[in-house]
Amino acid sequence: MSVETPGLNRAVGLDEAEVAERIAAGQVNDLPPRSGRTVAGIIRANVFTRINAILSVLLVLVVITGSLRNGLFALLIVVNSVVGIIQEIRAKRTLDRLAIVGEAHPVVRRDGAAERLDRRQVVLDDVIELQPGDQVMVDGDVIETDHLELDEALLTGESDPVAKAVGDQVLSGSFVAAGRGAYRATRVGADAYAAQLAAEASKYTLVNSELRNGLNLILRWVTYLLIPVAALTIWVQVRQLSVDRNQALLNLVAALVPMVPEGLILLTSVAFAVGVVRLARRGCLVQELPAIEGLARVDTVCVDKTGTLTAPGLTFERLVPVRRPGEGGPDALVPESDLAAFAAQLAATDPSPNPTVQAIADHLGAPEQPWPLRATEPFSSRTKWSGATFEPAPGRPTTLLLGAVDVLASPGSPVSQEAERLGAGGLRVLGLARSSAPVGEVRVPDGVEVIGLLTLGQNIRPDAADTVAYFADQGVAVKVISGDNASSVAAVAGQVGITGTAVDARPLPDDPARLADDMANHAVFGRVTPQQKRAMVGALQARGHVVAMTGDGVNDVLALKDADVGVAMGSGSEASRSAAQLVLLDDKFSVLPRVVAEGRRVIGNIERVAVLFLTKTFYSVLLALLVGLAQLPFPFVPLHVTITAWFTIGIPAFFLSLAPNAARAKPGFARRALSRAAPAGIAIAVCTFASYVVLRQFVSGASQKQISTACLLVVIGIAMWVLIVVTKPDEPWKWALILGGAAAYAVIFCVPALAHFFTLDVGSWPALAVAGIGIAVGVLACQVAWRAERALRTRRQASARPGD
């Protein structure tokens, strides 16, 4: 697509032959996959895991014995890998497809013509144009500049824009804060800094996730426990009981397999991947997976007014002449026709108009005879005005400025008061000022005279009010922080349901503690600088808040990057989209509740199923230790362990991980999961071991197979009760899940062919009676322990409340 950029067509760029030569030499901007991992990388990551390694070693031990049916647990290796690979590749393709939609295209000059190209089409030595909001795609050297200023905060941490002169180096990853220019590409592809940023910022990963960190901690401790339990089991089986090698190996595998929460990590990855796909269907690009979890934990959302509460684009309303200071007659007003001509001339000097200037230019039209220019000053969020100096002529102002009224006029002046009055109605108000000084030497407000006000209408997003109401219902505070006039911001905020007095941010303190106090007491802030937005996010975080930031402009980049979750609008600047973890491609603010819901579903459901897996880990470790210390043969074979997990953990956990769950996410996932799983695991282990001892010592005539079957019933019976408590069956599908599992176990235990295959025997009534008593005692113990844990947690919460 060809584009016109007036005043920046001095360097013609490469010709077609030079481009072909560089493509043949491989000097193109080849970039890593947008979603971070290749298909081969996803396969490796899902096959070569710690859990698969553990299960593979145990499978080898079973193969050595020749009892292949006891190796059924190894199917988990295949299932873990295949399901994880399919879901992640599906999510990757979705991310790649959506990333292309939300991707910006640099303006490249070739053969003297400027055109927008895919960033992968850029080659070495290409001439690339820069306009406000553009990202520097590849590294290079500046060859043209018109007040070009770059925001390098993401590279250096320096918050102030850096002016660039001809010959200066620019690094990919920086953004144009003001002005315009062009540079020649000197490093592309993997050699450019952008390649590292893209791989790091868009990686398909779960790093810095409390959920994943908690699971990794649990898995690490399980690995540590495997070694002593394995050593004790082998020693007891071989040295004390003189069991033959094959049986000893089977007993060892049976003791160790249930300790591994093999499906928990898989279900976490699947749940997140499904969330990515679900959100993608609603036009939300998830650039970092932790953002789904993070937004579910958010308690404060900071929103920028423009682009978030209001839709892109402005509607020109009217010109308002203002009286000159100290003068009283009608002749003191600049005629509206002159104001319109002045504003049209000033708008025509901007080759890359922002939405505000574009709305003025569209309404007033292009001047028939543009005035000759001497100098221009582009708009920047630092100065909050733009201007131009013209060649002197009778009746023509030397310099015109357009910008924020409270910057161009003194506070409390009649002009400022009139602007406040107009802004209180929700209009965006700009001042048109003149000065006798060149634009580069203008001093505001003393050196300028405001001669008119321009008002522009703002379009409130139709979904903004409902989204704000949703967050209010969920106990999430919404703070509006905008660079616009405070009165105008307050008017828009009030229309979407955010009430309160607007605060002008300019006199706010730099001290984080005092700033946090102001943030706690107010919800609407105007005239906020980019550095203040960043400081506000930091102040809230210092008070323990989990903060999400939404925005669409270059001035939002610093805050988006520092927030726990950054959310950018798809129609916003390329800078904001790159800095954010979530991009709303359709600009629908109403998608955020969906993201919250997905995060809550993932966190709540994984915490729920984690109780099932960790219960198994607890009872497996404790049972192995009890049996080992008592110097008894292990009661189960690996096949028993496999069927135990089928309907008490594996299948139910899969459905539970994808079920709706609207419970608000809270910190402390690992602690809560362990507090529920530990009592249940201990109860199962103790009751199973007690039943095992009673059956061996006091039930005569029961075979080892019948004893093992009775012990297995104890494990399954209590585990099914844990499943009922965790599932909280309030819907038909949950009851079907539980009853279906119970029916499946009845078939396995009672159908002779299946019972023979799984080494089961229910022919001893005394053994079954002991199993029934064990189940009853275990269920009662679980209930008592859980009630005690809830009472203790309630007392701790009560003691932690202020004033108690």
Side-chain angles (χ1 to χ4, degrees):
M1 180 179 66
S2 297
V3 295
E4 291 278 343
T5 307
L8 284 181
N9 286 322
R10 294 184 288 279
V12 298
L14 302 177
D15 59 30
E16 188 175 341
E18 290 170 326
V19 172
E21 178 184 340
R22 284 158 177 76
I23 292 175
Q27 297 171 330
V28 295
N29 193 37
D30 284 332
L31 297 170
R34 185 73 172 102
S35 55
R37 280 197 281 183
T38 63
V39 172
I42 290 174
I43 293 174
R44 284 195 302 271
N46 281 277
V47 172
F48 300 106
T49 65
R50 180 182 300 181
I51 284 181
N52 282 359
I54 293 171
L55 295 178
S56 297
V57 171
L58 297 178
L59 175 62
V60 170
L61 297 180
V62 171
V63 171
I64 291 174
T65 69
S67 181
L68 297 182
R69 63 178 178 175
N70 279 298
L72 277 179
F73 66 86
L75 289 175
L76 288 170
I77 298 175
V78 179
V79 174
N80 278 353
S81 301
V82 171
V83 174
I85 289 169
I86 291 173
Q87 290 291 354
E88 287 201 32
I89 288 178
R90 184 183 178 193
K92 167 189 162 53
R93 288 175 177 169
T94 301
L95 285 177
D96 288 342
R97 186 169 61 250
L98 289 178
I100 292 172
V101 175
E103 206 171 73
H105 296 75
V107 176
V108 181
R109 262 188 237 154
R110 290 180 179 172
D111 283 326
E115 58 179 332
R116 291 196 180 276
L117 300 178
D118 186 281
R119 58 180 185 159
R120 295 166 185 80
Q121 294 177 281
V122 175
V123 301
L124 192 67
D125 296 323
D126 258 331
V127 174
I128 303 170
E129 295 183 358
L130 294 174
Q131 299 179 12
D134 284 354
Q135 180 185 16
V136 178
M137 288 289 182
V138 295
D139 302 345
D141 296 326
V142 176
I143 59 173
E144 299 167 13
T145 177
D146 180 10
H147 298 87
L148 180 64
E149 295 182 6
L150 295 188
D151 182 344
E152 299 180 341
L154 301 184
L155 305 180
T156 65
E158 174 58 51
S159 57
D160 292 330
V162 179
K164 293 293 182 180
V166 172
D168 286 350
Q169 183 186 52
V170 294
L171 290 177
S172 47
S174 54
F175 303 95
V176 180
R180 56 199 182 100
Y183 71 101
R184 192 179 303 279
T186 58
R187 287 190 295 272
V188 298
D191 294 332
Y193 196 69
Q196 303 170 34
L197 283 181
E200 199 61 34
S202 305
K203 189 178 294 183
Y204 187 91
T205 178
L206 286 175
V207 295
N208 297 325
S209 158
E210 181 186 345
L211 193 61
R212 176 51 66 90
N213 290 341
L215 295 176
N216 284 339
L217 176 65
I218 292 167
L219 190 58
R220 186 162 60 248
W221 279 105
V222 168
T223 305
Y224 295 153
L225 287 172
L226 286 176
I227 298 173
V229 172
L232 176 61
T233 303
I234 285 290
W235 181 75
V236 170
Q237 303 297 313
V238 177
R239 299 297 299 276
Q240 301 298 315
L241 301 175
S242 300
V243 177
D244 67 84
R245 185 200 66 179
N246 287 350
Q247 189 59 47
L249 290 177
L250 290 176
N251 289 343
L252 173 64
V253 172
L256 298 185
V257 165
M259 297 182 194
V260 183
E262 65 281 338
L264 188 53
I265 306 299
L266 167 69
L267 289 177
T268 303
S269 298
V270 169
F272 270 115
V274 169
V276 168
V277 174
R278 285 178 174 176
L279 292 176
R281 291 172 182 159
R282 298 184 178 275
C284 178
L285 171 61
V286 181
Q287 302 198 108
E288 296 181 23
L289 281 182
I292 299 179
E293 175 187 347
L295 196 55
R297 300 187 189 280
V298 159
D299 58 28
T300 305
V301 176
C302 296
V303 300
D304 178 43
K305 174 184 71 68
T306 306
T308 301
L309 300 181
T310 61
L314 297 166
T315 304
F316 187 91
E317 295 286 338
R318 66 191 186 105
L319 277 165
V320 181
V322 297
R323 196 172 306 281
R324 302 176 196 174
E327 302 181 21
D331 58 327
L333 299 176
V334 175
E336 188 173 333
S337 59
D338 288 352
L339 289 178
F342 294 168
Q345 289 286 351
L346 184 55
T349 66
D350 193 339
S352 307
N354 59 30
T356 302
V357 176
Q358 188 65 57
I360 296 171
D362 289 344
H363 180 79
L364 299 178
E368 293 183 5
Q369 293 184 340
W371 296 341
L373 273 174
R374 277 192 171 183
T376 61
E377 187 75 27
F379 176 85
S380 76
S381 57
R382 177 174 50 84
T383 62
K384 296 192 181 298
W385 56 264
S386 62
T389 296
F390 303 95
E391 292 288 350
R396 179 187 302 171
T398 301
T399 297
L400 288 173
L401 288 83
L402 181 70
V405 179
D406 45 9
V407 173
L408 299 177
S410 300
S413 65
V415 173
S416 295
Q417 292 176 4
E418 177 66 10
E420 288 281 344
R421 186 186 68 79
L422 294 171
L427 295 174
R428 188 169 189 178
V429 184
L430 298 175
L432 180 64
R434 62 186 175 188
S435 174
S436 59
V439 70
E441 301 175 12
V442 167
R443 297 289 182 267
V444 295
D446 298 334
V448 302
E449 175 193 2
V450 178
I451 56 177
L453 301 177
L454 292 79
T455 62
L456 298 100
Q458 304 175 96
N459 302 315
I460 305 295
R461 290 187 182 278
D463 57 359
D466 290 341
T467 305
V468 169
Y470 167 82
F471 282 123
D473 290 341
Q474 298 298 316
V476 178
V478 179
K479 308 283 186 182
V480 183
I481 53 178
S482 173
D484 284 352
N485 176 274
S487 297
S488 176
V489 176
V492 171
Q495 293 181 55
V496 299
I498 305 173
T499 58
T501 305
V503 176
D504 189 316
R506 286 173 292 185
L508 289 179
D510 294 330
D511 179 63
R514 293 171 58 199
L515 181 60
D517 291 337
D518 288 324
M519 294 295 293
N521 296 328
H522 300 90
V524 182
F525 299 86
R527 288 289 173 245
V528 185
T529 66
Q531 292 73 28
Q532 282 181 312
K533 288 186 178 184
R534 185 183 204 178
M536 287 176 169
V537 169
L540 289 168
Q541 291 171 325
R543 289 286 176 90
H545 293 288
V546 181
V547 183
M549 174 72 198
T550 72
D552 69 339
V554 178
N555 59 331
D556 301 317
V557 168
L558 297 177
L560 286 170
K561 202 66 180 177
D562 282 2
D564 296 285
V565 180
V567 183
M569 296 295 168
S571 65
S573 69
E574 181 186 341
S576 62
R577 295 198 304 268
S578 178
Q581 291 87 33
L582 296 173
V583 179
L584 307 183
L585 295 175
D586 297 330
D587 289 353
K588 291 183 178 178
F589 190 33
S590 57
V591 172
L592 285 186
R594 299 286 184 180
V595 181
V596 173
E598 279 301 318
R600 291 181 176 182
R601 180 190 63 78
V602 171
I603 296 171
N605 289 341
I606 294 303
E607 183 171 323
R608 179 182 290 177
V609 301
V611 174
L612 301 178
F613 284 99
L614 296 179
T615 295
K616 185 185 72 164
T617 297
F618 268 105
Y619 75 66
S620 300
V621 171
L622 184 55
L623 183 60
L625 290 174
L626 291 174
V627 170
L629 293 174
Q631 299 185 19
L632 296 173
F634 200 73
F636 305 131
V637 295
L639 204 54
H640 293 162
V641 174
T642 301
I643 63 173
T644 300
W646 279 354
F647 302 108
T648 62
I649 302 173
I651 295 175
F654 177 78
F655 287 100
L656 290 175
S657 69
L658 303 178
N661 192 329
R664 183 174 177 179
K666 300 176 182 178
F669 150 75
R671 177 183 53 78
R672 284 194 307 275
L674 290 172
S675 68
R676 299 292 301 277
I682 293 171
I684 292 175
V686 171
C687 290
T688 302
F689 177 71
S691 300
Y692 186 37
V693 172
V694 168
L695 288 167
R696 286 178 60 89
Q697 298 293 327
F698 302 107
V699 179
S700 58
S703 66
Q704 180 60 43
K705 184 186 293 188
Q706 291 170 337
I707 292 174
S708 295
T709 301
C711 291
L712 190 61
L713 285 171
V714 175
V715 173
I716 292 174
I718 305 175
M720 287 294 290
W721 178 255
V722 174
L723 175 62
I724 293 173
V725 172
V726 168
T727 304
K728 298 178 181 177
D730 52 0
E731 298 180 49
W733 71 267
K734 293 181 179 178
W735 279 113
L737 194 64
I738 294 168
L739 296 176
Y745 279 128
V747 171
I748 290 173
F749 277 82
C750 297
V751 174
L754 292 175
H756 175 74
F757 178 81
F758 289 109
T759 320
L760 301 172
D761 187 349
V762 292
S764 173
W765 286 105
L768 295 179
V770 171
I773 295 172
I775 293 171
V777 173
V779 168
L780 180 61
C782 287
Q783 290 299 110
V784 171
W786 286 332
R787 182 168 296 183
E789 188 272 335
R790 283 195 300 270
L792 180 61
R793 185 172 67 249
T794 301
R795 283 198 298 270
R796 285 176 177 171
Q797 292 173 348
S799 63
R801 294 192 190 106
D804 287 359

